[in-house]
Amino acid sequence: MGENNQIIGEDDYILLKDFKVETEVDEEKGFILCFWVYIFNSNAFPSTILKQVYAETNSSPPLLVLDEKTLMIFPLTCLLNEALGPGNTDLPSEVPKVSAAIEHPQNNWIHVGYEVSSDFVRLYINGEIAGELHLSSLSNDNSMPNGSRKRTLIGITGDSNLQGFIHDAKVLPSTLSIKEQYVKDPPLRLSIDESSISDIEEDNGFWNIVGGKASCRRIFSLDVLLLNTFGQPVNKELEVVASLLYAHNWLPVEKTNDEEPPLLASCDGIEFASCDRPCKLSKGRASFKLKISKLSSKCDNRQFCIKFGVSKLEGYRFLEDFSPSIRCISRNRTPRTSTIVWKKISAVHPVNGSQPFGLDDSSCEPKHNTVHEAKLSPTSKRVRLGEAKISAVDQHSEECNSLASKQNQVENGFGSRLEARPENFEEMNTSLSDSESTGARDSALKSVSSRGHSVPDVTIFRYCLGGLTDRSLLLKEIATTVSDEEISGFGEQVSLYSGCSHHRHQIKMAKRLIDEGTVAWNLISQNNLQVQWESAVFEIEEQFMKIASCSSRSLSQQDFELLRKIAGCQECMAQENFEKMWCWLYPVAYTLSSDWVNEMWNSTSPKWIEGFITKEEAELSLQGSRGLQEPGTFILRFPTSRSWPHPDAGSLVVTYVGTDYSLHHKLLSIDNVYSSGVREKNVKVKPLQDMLLEEPELSRLGRIMRRH
């Protein structure tokens, strides 16, 4: 199905109310009915999905019924001892049925198989037997004197609360396999690719996006995927359009006072109304670069959401996806001032002599910082050293915050504080502030350009402006044609022009990541298109331990389960699944190879990093039987939403209980501590675990509680 690029036909997906199929019931041969069903907007339970219709008796008892999270299927009345009277729409209460529990019955595709014979009926859910009912005691020898009777299955018509679709419905001989039908023609769905999200700050399930007037709003990017229900990309000649809605009622957001569309698509530096610029799907992927012109503050502080849908297929709910609730904020918003105060740091950065190294929640809007002793430039992104007291900013909803950091020093005056950002802060801007000498930037530009790197400027700008998918494709192209020195220079230039030093790290590892990933896949696949996951884990573990320089600690079963989820595969893994997993695992292994993390990874008592865990598992582990654990309890993890070449791929996140008895997630920016510049100066830096425990917000290591 992944190669079928034909446009979806009108008969591929049928509304429940329009669904109708006829078949002859043969006591001796039996039959199977199988179909995909998608239910949405069902609030009244139980709700009939399909009914049996008998024209001879004018009766229509239910066949398939949804009762909250239980799917029930009834035997055909023509096989029962009791015949229904004219106009009857109910089955006798004592008639048995087959039931199956469905965890998420709505807004999901479910494959239903119904096998009928004179002796039994069977219910199949997603290709597997979910229940069976023997009818020997209920069969009626006189009910079908001619051996067959027609009956019609139709979609629901009387329950206005139930809406849905039927796909690939078939009535087949009982000799065929329902499981084969399950994998034959899976339905489609549209989904936001969370790993592609760039320049969006996530905050407790919300998106914070800087928007407003043209001079202030910022581009954010993400990809939308067309997948089948098994998670495989599908190539269809379709276009996806984005629109801005109010999150509470899904009504369209109005134009601005200047008659500007609320959601804009950016194309080659020109802004268009998003509805006028749909994105074409290419190999199942559509890449969006968007801006929001309407501020939440101008709409009674209401939140927005972005709806992605397939053009010309309005109303097909499975071909729609919605973003989380969005707060569109202005970068000039005035914050509230916190009582938390930074302490003076009499140290310089171990590499560039300018920036501190510590746990800091600064976000993309540093204009909110209030400086008491040294004036910060409006565009400065981080606190500069030499300032005695700086009020941190309290982050609530749209505002920035800072986490107080204790002063601690190491030999030769090099700072050792941990620097952290909100986990979902995409790309910290570390550009020089306006208050610094303009000659400093000019000097840096000349220094980089004088090296004579062969990567053209247009490629650098394409990388800086592109989304994660664009950057990945660009790096794969560059890494095969340039030298290590040239790609290193490319990383320096991208970091300089984008104002984000974290790009450098991802670009420099590109060559090794691609080369070693290719070798690893060739060893695993042995020229096969797909391989069994269970047979691949041994080579994956060997490659991981080699890259991470770790011989004493192997991966656990839980680690492999998370890797499989990241890969997006089940029993079998294709090259595309491997690449997804590799782009997450390689930066993690690369981070673990550093002395300052390797020691913590190998530590068993205490176990500083217990393995690969999700954000939800970390949060669950910090919630005891009586609520949250003590303030200061923390867990270290690698964010599962950050894959190469995202600037934060491979970084560590500290999840902790704050003094406000709520959970916080901070991304540690610690890649410069043991850099070559520090090693060359023979600077003694404290172990990472010591620096963590010296942070005021962190006091004790938590333990992971895994669900079994």
Side-chain angles (χ1 to χ4, degrees), residues 231-345:
Q232 300 166 329
V234 178
N235 190 21
K236 292 280 186 181
E237 294 178 355
L238 299 172
E239 292 183 335
V240 181
V241 65
S243 54
L244 192 67
L245 310 178
Y246 287 110
H248 68 287
N249 58 12
W250 286 3
L251 292 178
V253 176
E254 307 84 1
K255 291 183 177 181
T256 65
N257 294 335
D258 298 330
E259 290 299 310
E260 196 171 28
L263 186 64
L264 302 165
S266 180
C267 183
D268 296 328
I270 303 174
E271 296 176 350
F272 301 89
S274 61
C275 58
D276 297 334
R277 280 279 169 165
C279 286
K280 290 184 178 181
L281 286 163
S282 176
K283 296 183 179 179
R285 181 180 295 270
S287 298
F288 286 86
K289 294 179 183 178
L290 302 169
K291 295 181 180 181
I292 299 178
S293 63
K294 199 81 176 264
L295 294 173
S296 294
S297 59
K298 301 293 185 181
C299 300
D300 299 326
N301 289 322
R302 286 180 289 180
Q303 295 166 358
F304 308 138
C305 71
I306 300 175
K307 171 188 171 183
F308 297 92
V310 175
S311 302
K312 301 179 182 179
L313 290 175
E314 187 72 25
Y316 286 73
R317 291 290 298 275
F318 52 92
L319 294 179
E320 299 174 351
D321 199 11
F322 295 81
S323 74
S325 295
I326 295 171
R327 303 183 186 102
C328 186
I329 61 175
S330 168
R331 65 179 184 178
N332 292 318
R333 185 178 179 90
T334 302
R336 293 169 295 213
T337 303
S338 168
T339 56
I340 301 174
V341 177
W342 287 65
K343 292 190 177 182
K344 182 177 179 180
I345 302 167

Side-chain angles (χ1 to χ4, degrees), residues 524 532-542 555 560:
I524 292 171
Q532 290 290 325
W533 171 261
E534 294 300 330
S535 64
V537 297
F538 302 104
E539 185 63 36
I540 291 172
E541 182 175 57
E542 184 176 337
L555 296 178
F560 284 120

Side-chain angles (χ1 to χ4, degrees), residues 24-31 116-118 144 147-149:
E24 288 187 355
V25 179
D26 189 318
E27 276 190 281
E28 295 180 358
K29 296 181 180 179
F31 70 95
V116 177
S117 79
S118 59
M144 299 179 64
S148 66
R149 175 180 296 177

Side-chain angles (χ1 to χ4, degrees), residues 66-322:
L66 176 65
D67 189 3
E68 294 189 2
K69 293 189 176 182
T70 301
L71 203 61
M72 300 178 291
I73 201 160
F74 293 86
L76 300 178
T77 57
C78 62
L79 300 177
L80 300 179
N81 285 323
E82 297 187 30
L84 293 174
N88 201 329
T89 60
D90 300 314
L91 281 171
S93 58
E94 65 273 13
V95 172
K97 55 187 175 292
V98 185
S99 301
I102 308 293
E103 186 175 356
H104 301 292
Q106 298 195 56
N107 300 310
N108 275 307
W109 282 108
I110 302 170
H111 190 267
V112 178
Y114 182 43
E115 184 178 359
V116 177
S117 79
S118 59
D119 297 326
F120 63 84
V121 293
R122 284 182 184 146
L123 173 63
Y124 292 74
I125 299 295
N126 294 334
E128 303 293 337
I129 297 178
E132 182 177 275
L133 178 64
H134 289 274
L135 302 176
S136 55
S137 62
L138 301 173
S139 61
N140 184 357
D141 295 334
N142 299 320
S143 64
M144 299 179 64
N146 297 323
S148 66
R149 175 180 296 177
K150 279 192 174 183
R151 62 115 168 97
T152 303
L153 301 178
I154 65 171
I156 184 170
T157 57
D159 191 345
S160 60
N161 291 320
L162 186 64
Q163 302 178 55
F165 290 89
I166 295 287
H167 170 68
D168 195 32
K170 298 175 182 176
V171 178
L172 301 168
S174 58
T175 54
L176 296 181
S177 166
I178 288 180
K179 189 158 190 175
E180 289 181 3
Q181 302 305 315
Y182 165 61
V183 299
K184 210 168 197 179
D185 185 17
L188 305 180
R189 61 183 176 89
L190 202 67
S191 177
I192 297 172
D193 181 6
E194 294 184 359
S195 66
S196 69
I197 295 172
S198 180
D199 300 299
I200 295 176
E201 179 185 344
E202 298 178 28
D203 179 16
N204 294 322
F206 295 91
W207 285 2
N208 289 336
I209 294 175
V210 178
K213 58 185 181 180
S215 60
C216 299
R217 56 187 177 237
R218 297 179 179 175
I219 295 177
F220 59 96
S221 60
L222 54 85
D223 292 352
V224 176
L225 305 176
L226 181 66
L227 309 169
N228 63 26
T229 194
F230 302 134
Q232 300 166 329
V234 178
N235 190 21
K236 292 280 186 181
E237 294 178 355
L238 299 172
E239 292 183 335
V240 181
V241 65
S243 54
L244 192 67
L245 310 178
Y246 287 110
H248 68 287
N249 58 12
W250 286 3
L251 292 178
V253 176
E254 307 84 1
K255 291 183 177 181
T256 65
N257 294 335
D258 298 330
E259 290 299 310
E260 196 171 28
L263 186 64
L264 302 165
S266 180
C267 183
D268 296 328
I270 303 174
E271 296 176 350
F272 301 89
S274 61
C275 58
D276 297 334
R277 280 279 169 165
C279 286
K280 290 184 178 181
L281 286 163
S282 176
K283 296 183 179 179
R285 181 180 295 270
S287 298
F288 286 86
K289 294 179 183 178
L290 302 169
K291 295 181 180 181
I292 299 178
S293 63
K294 199 81 176 264
L295 294 173
S296 294
S297 59
K298 301 293 185 181
C299 300
D300 299 326
N301 289 322
R302 286 180 289 180
Q303 295 166 358
F304 308 138
C305 71
I306 300 175
K307 171 188 171 183
F308 297 92
V310 175
S311 302
K312 301 179 182 179
L313 290 175
E314 187 72 25
Y316 286 73
R317 291 290 298 275
F318 52 92
L319 294 179
E320 299 174 351
D321 199 11
F322 295 81

